[in-house]
Every structure is written in C-alpha cells, then in structure tokens.
Amino acid sequence: METMTEEKEEVKSFKDLGICDQLIEACDNLGWRNPTKIQLEAMPHALEGKDLIGLAQTGSGKTGAFALPILQALLESSQKSVQPFFACVLSPTRELAIQIAEQFEALGSGIGLRCGVLVGGVDMVQQSLILAKRPHIVVATPGRLLDHLTNTKGFSLRTLKYLVLDEADRLLNEEFEKSLDEILNVIPRDRKTYLFSATMTKKVKKLQRACLRNPVKIEAASKYSTVDTLKQQYLFVPSKHKDCYLVYLLTEMSGSTAMVFTRTCDATSFLALVLRNLGLRAIPINGHMSQPKRLGALNKFKAGECNVLICTDVASRGLDIPSVDMVINYDIPSNSKVRSTIFVGIHAGILSVPCLDLGRTARAGRSGVAISLVNQYELEWYLQIENLIGKKLPEFPAQEEEVLLLLDPVIDAKRISHAKLKESGVKKRRGGDDDEDDVEKYLGFKHKKSKKMG
C-alpha cells in the first residue's frame, strides 16, 4: 500500500489536478477557489483509478475529494451510455448522508446529476419512487440501504462502479457492522472503493484488507493532531451545580453559537427546556427525534434562529455546521470502550465522540473554545483522555460565587422543565396525540405532520 503524506506545493488549482471545466465551474459556484490538502493529495490518485484510504479531519474538504473524481468518471462513462446507480456513499448518520447528497447535487447541477438519499425516518415507499428514477448517486445509511436491497423490487447495485465509506470508523460500530457485511457481499467486487476515516483503528485496517485493492493511503492530519487556533479547557465542577456552570458559560459567551454535548437523548430535551426557561435560544437534536424534526432543529441552528444546540453523538461527527464559537462537553462518556476507542479519534482537534467534540469550533482555520465540564465522578475518565491527547488542558477561570448567583433561577427553570416533561408523559400514557408536540412547540421547532413521513 502506498502512503502519501507530502503536500504538493506546485499544484494550485482544480485544473492542475485534471478536473474538467464543467466541474471546475461548479466548484467556482460553490466558492471552492483552490483545492484543500486532502483534495490535493487524494484526487490525482482517484482520477488514476486507484482505491483510497483518506485520514482527514472534518471540514477538510473530503467530500469534494471523493465526489469530484466520481462525477468526472460519470461524465466520461455517460458519453457511452447512461449509468444509473454509478456510485454509493455510506454514512453513519442521516444528517451526514443528506449533507453529502446536497454537495453532490450542487457539484452536479450543471450535468443533470440524479442523486437519491436512503435514510431511516422517511417512508420506504417514498424512497422507492426515488430509486425508480434510477439515480446516478445513492447516499445512504447502511441499515436503510440493506432494507431496500432486500425488499424493493427491481433495485440492485449490480452496476455500481464506486463505493465510498465515509466516517468508516463509525460505520464499523456494532450497530452497522452486520448490515455493512451484507452490503459488501451483494455489490460488485470490480469497483473502486474510497474509505475515509478520522482514525486508522484495527477495525478500519481489517475493512481495508477486506474490500480495497492496493489502496493509496492519504494522511491529511497526524493521528493525534490538534488545532492551534482552538482553545481547549476544562472546568472542574460539583455534580449538583453542573447546570449552573453550564448556564454561566453560556451567559458569559452571550451572543456566541454553542454546541453542548450530553450523554443521553433525554438530557438534550431537558437541558433545552431549562435553557429556554432562562431566556436562552436552545434547541435539542438527538436520535429519538424523527428525521424531519432533527433536520428542522439543525436548520434552525444553522440559520441562527437558535444559537445553542444541545446534542448527543448524532451531531458529533461530520456535519457541516459553518460557524460554532464554543463547544461545551456537558458529559464525559462513562463507557471505557468508548473512551479507549472513540476518544482516540482526534482529527483537527476533534475528539469525535458524544460529549467531547473539541474541534467543531476550529475548522478550516477558525478560532474557538472547547470547554469540558468535569465533575467529581468523571475525573478519572477525564485524566485518561488527557493521557490520550498527550497534554494537560488549562482550567477555565470561573468564580464559584458568580456561578452560584444563578442557582435560584436555575432551580426554578429545572422545576418548570420537570413539570413540563411530566405533563407530556402523562398525556402520552393517556393516549393523547400532542404529547411530543407540546414540548417541541415549547422548544421552538413545531413541524407539520405528514402522512408520507415515517
């Protein structure tokens, strides 16, 4: 396996890389003036028809690194015949799949590209109609793609020429592993395969041996790289006052955009309610929400209607959220396997796990701050993380007297929030229709119900 780590300083433009004029125009329309490092390193080999392993940070331009060569190959092949189901991109999350599809559609807008998205939370019949139009590119989560390969009449990937595994380290989690194995068994072996990952774990190495042929390995960031512009800090807090410290940080950074990572889905909804009751524009996103509601919350955050996103690991990897000033890690994972395997995933300063996404604020050279709240029960776990990253983080300066001035309003906000959630739960047990909508309307993301949505 070849390894490429040296940056090609002499290559400055997409044209120098061999990208055709139609796609260069699409890049211009997207504001892509010059290739990023991962694009400089990966695209020449992709255009030569080689398999790739790309170790790249979020926000590095890796979608373009695999999308442009695929679209160029599609253009060249379509001069001979129409090529439906030409490429498939697998993603671990619905939101990332949708984002990848949007980039493909933008790059292919001038060439008649058809792109289909297959993710959970959307009616399969609706998706079957998309597949009936024979899209060139399919972007999917593994479980839903396997559902369609098994149950949708007339759908197969026999014509597949390219397979992309994005965020491959997460695709190899237990929840995806079986589906991924079955997909690999039914797609053509004669294909090009691109594997992109934050880290080269043992499972990723095993997958590489199983489905890539003499790949070129591109390392756009070192295994334990950090971002100089990212200010990483911790704050040791008593467990009983953790909510006060969270509110203190958010009010100290008033007007900034912030992502708050929690360990559980329930915590996202509860914290969002608490913060709303204190006048902060917070909104939750988690895996228990339906797909339209997750996208609605994400779009409100991107649009600036809400400036605090309370999230689980659903938003911890890969999503293109253009500007985040601060990440607060409200929880640290208690699971030792999570700490030992996923916390190793440091790319561009990102510890890409629930509750410790330290690089979201410093993508593409931007500065930012990431603060981890560590209580007395989490100290040992946090010290293990410092050992992994090889350095001690400075403590965020906070005066306990100032923080505790917020204690009474926080207690009141928590009481109101508990009551609201309890009321919602009672309605649900009684068979009421609006139990979720009551809370969601209160949180600021009411969605119309659609018969087409699952």
Side-chain angles (χ1 to χ4, degrees):
M1 179 176 67
E2 302 174 53
T3 301
M4 303 298 298
T5 55
E6 294 182 5
E7 192 170 353
K8 296 177 173 59
E9 294 292 342
E10 72 276 7
V11 178
K12 299 297 182 184
S13 70
F14 288 104
K15 192 172 187 65
D16 293 326
L17 293 176
I19 299 300
C20 67
D21 290 341
Q22 287 170 287
L23 294 177
I24 290 173
E25 184 179 348
C27 290
D28 286 339
N29 292 337
L30 289 174
W32 297 4
R33 300 292 175 250
N34 297 298
T36 65
K37 182 176 180 180
I38 186 66
Q39 292 165 359
L40 286 171
E41 297 288 354
M43 286 198 289
H45 301 288
L47 292 169
E48 289 173 7
K50 295 182 179 179
D51 286 2
L52 295 179
I53 297 173
L55 303 182
Q57 64 193 53
T58 299
S60 63
K62 61 190 172 82
T63 303
F66 61 74
L68 287 168
I70 288 172
L71 292 177
Q72 182 137 321
L74 177 63
L75 275 171
E76 292 169 358
S77 68
S78 65
Q79 293 171 2
K80 305 170 187 176
S81 61
V82 177
Q83 294 285 332
F85 307 120
F86 187 76
C88 177
V89 183
L90 292 179
S91 155
T93 68
R94 303 170 186 179
E95 288 76 16
L96 180 55
I98 291 166
Q99 177 184 294
I100 292 168
E102 287 173 348
Q103 289 214 354
F104 264 103
E105 288 169 349
L107 289 169
S109 60
I111 62 173
L113 182 75
R114 297 189 302 275
C115 190
V117 180
L118 307 179
V119 297
V122 180
D123 182 60
M124 282 190 63
V125 174
Q126 182 182 351
Q127 292 176 344
S128 297
L129 295 174
I130 294 171
L131 292 175
K133 296 177 181 178
R134 301 171 68 77
H136 303 105
I137 312 294
V138 173
V139 188
T141 49
R144 181 50 64 96
L145 177 63
L146 186 60
D147 286 344
H148 281 288
L149 287 170
T150 305
N151 301 311
T152 299
K153 188 176 180 180
F155 172 58
S156 78
L157 292 175
R158 287 193 297 269
T159 60
L160 190 73
K161 302 298 181 187
Y162 287 84
L163 174 69
V164 181
L165 305 173
D166 197 14
E167 305 289 359
D169 43 349
R170 277 194 68 184
L171 284 172
L172 294 168
N173 288 350
E174 289 181 8
E175 61 181 307
F176 300 121
E177 197 167 6
K178 184 178 178 183
S179 297
L180 189 57
D181 285 343
E182 293 188 42
I183 291 166
L184 291 174
N185 284 333
V186 299
I187 63 175
R189 294 184 181 277
D190 184 17
R191 64 172 192 270
K192 304 294 185 296
T193 305
Y194 301 154
L195 186 156
F196 283 84
S197 177
T199 54
M200 181 56 78
T201 65
K202 289 181 180 179
K203 284 189 174 182
V204 174
K205 287 182 181 178
K206 182 180 177 182
L207 179 63
Q208 164 209 322
R209 292 193 297 269
C211 71
L212 281 79
R213 295 176 298 182
N214 192 28
V216 177
K217 182 179 176 183
I218 312 295
E219 296 187 60
S222 64
K223 185 178 179 184
Y224 295 110
S225 64
T226 57
V227 175
D228 293 335
T229 55
L230 175 66
K231 191 174 183 181
Q232 303 180 38
Q233 297 174 296
Y234 79 95
L235 185 53
F236 190 63
V237 304
S239 178
K240 64 181 178 180
H241 293 149
K242 198 179 214 181
D243 297 322
C244 282
Y245 278 87
L246 173 64
V247 175
Y248 172 80
L249 291 174
L250 291 173
T251 52
E252 282 291 292
M253 298 284 286
S254 179
S256 301
T257 54
M259 294 177 72
V260 179
F261 282 86
T262 71
R263 190 178 299 130
T264 68
C265 294
D266 288 344
T268 63
S269 297
F270 178 68
L271 281 177
L273 280 170
V274 171
L275 296 175
R276 283 271 179 170
N277 281 316
L278 291 166
L280 295 166
R281 294 179 294 130
I283 197 162
I285 181 171
N286 61 61
H288 289 171
M289 293 164 60
S290 68
Q291 185 60 26
K293 289 168 183 173
R294 281 160 61 170
L295 287 175
L298 196 58
N299 288 335
K300 279 184 175 289
F301 183 67
K302 285 183 176 182
E305 294 178 42
C306 299
N307 68 333
V308 181
L309 186 68
I310 316 291
C311 41
T312 57
D313 63 323
V314 112
S316 69
R317 181 73 74 79
L319 293 185
D320 184 15
I321 299 173
S323 176
V324 180
D325 303 310
M326 177 170 60
V327 165
I328 298 175
N329 303 301
Y330 182 82
D331 290 317
I332 291 177
S334 57
N335 186 295
S336 60
K337 185 177 179 181
V338 170
R339 290 197 308 278
S340 63
T341 60
I342 307 182
F343 269 98
V344 176
I346 304 166
H347 48 113
I350 298 175
L351 299 181
S352 49
V353 292
C355 324
L356 210 70
D357 198 341
L358 292 183
R360 261 239 183 259
T361 63
R363 299 168 60 179
R366 290 188 296 269
S367 61
V369 61
I371 303 166
S372 297
L373 300 181
V374 185
N375 66 31
Q376 65 268 35
Y377 308 111
E378 300 168 329
L379 182 57
E380 182 181 349
W381 305 334
Y382 184 74
L383 292 175
Q384 290 175 15
I385 293 162
E386 285 193 331
N387 287 334
L388 276 176
I389 64 177
K391 65 180 180 181
K392 289 191 173 295
L393 302 182
E395 186 171 7
F396 181 88
Q399 297 297 320
E400 186 179 24
E401 296 82 4
E402 292 182 28
V403 174
L404 293 183
L405 291 174
L406 297 165
L407 184 58
D408 287 342
V410 168
I411 288 173
D412 287 341
K414 289 173 70 174
R415 177 179 52 78
I416 294 168
S417 301
H418 276 302
K420 191 72 181 176
L421 290 172
K422 184 177 180 181
E423 179 187 345
S424 173
V426 169
K427 282 189 177 183
K428 186 173 183 179
R429 288 193 296 273
R430 290 176 179 172
D433 294 328
D434 297 322
D435 52 296
E436 287 186 9
D437 286 344
D438 283 350
V439 173
E440 288 162 0
K441 185 175 182 180
Y442 187 71
L443 288 169
F445 60 103
K446 180 81 168 103
H447 289 266
K448 292 181 179 178
K449 294 182 179 179
S450 170
K451 293 181 180 178
K452 293 183 179 180
M453 306 308 293

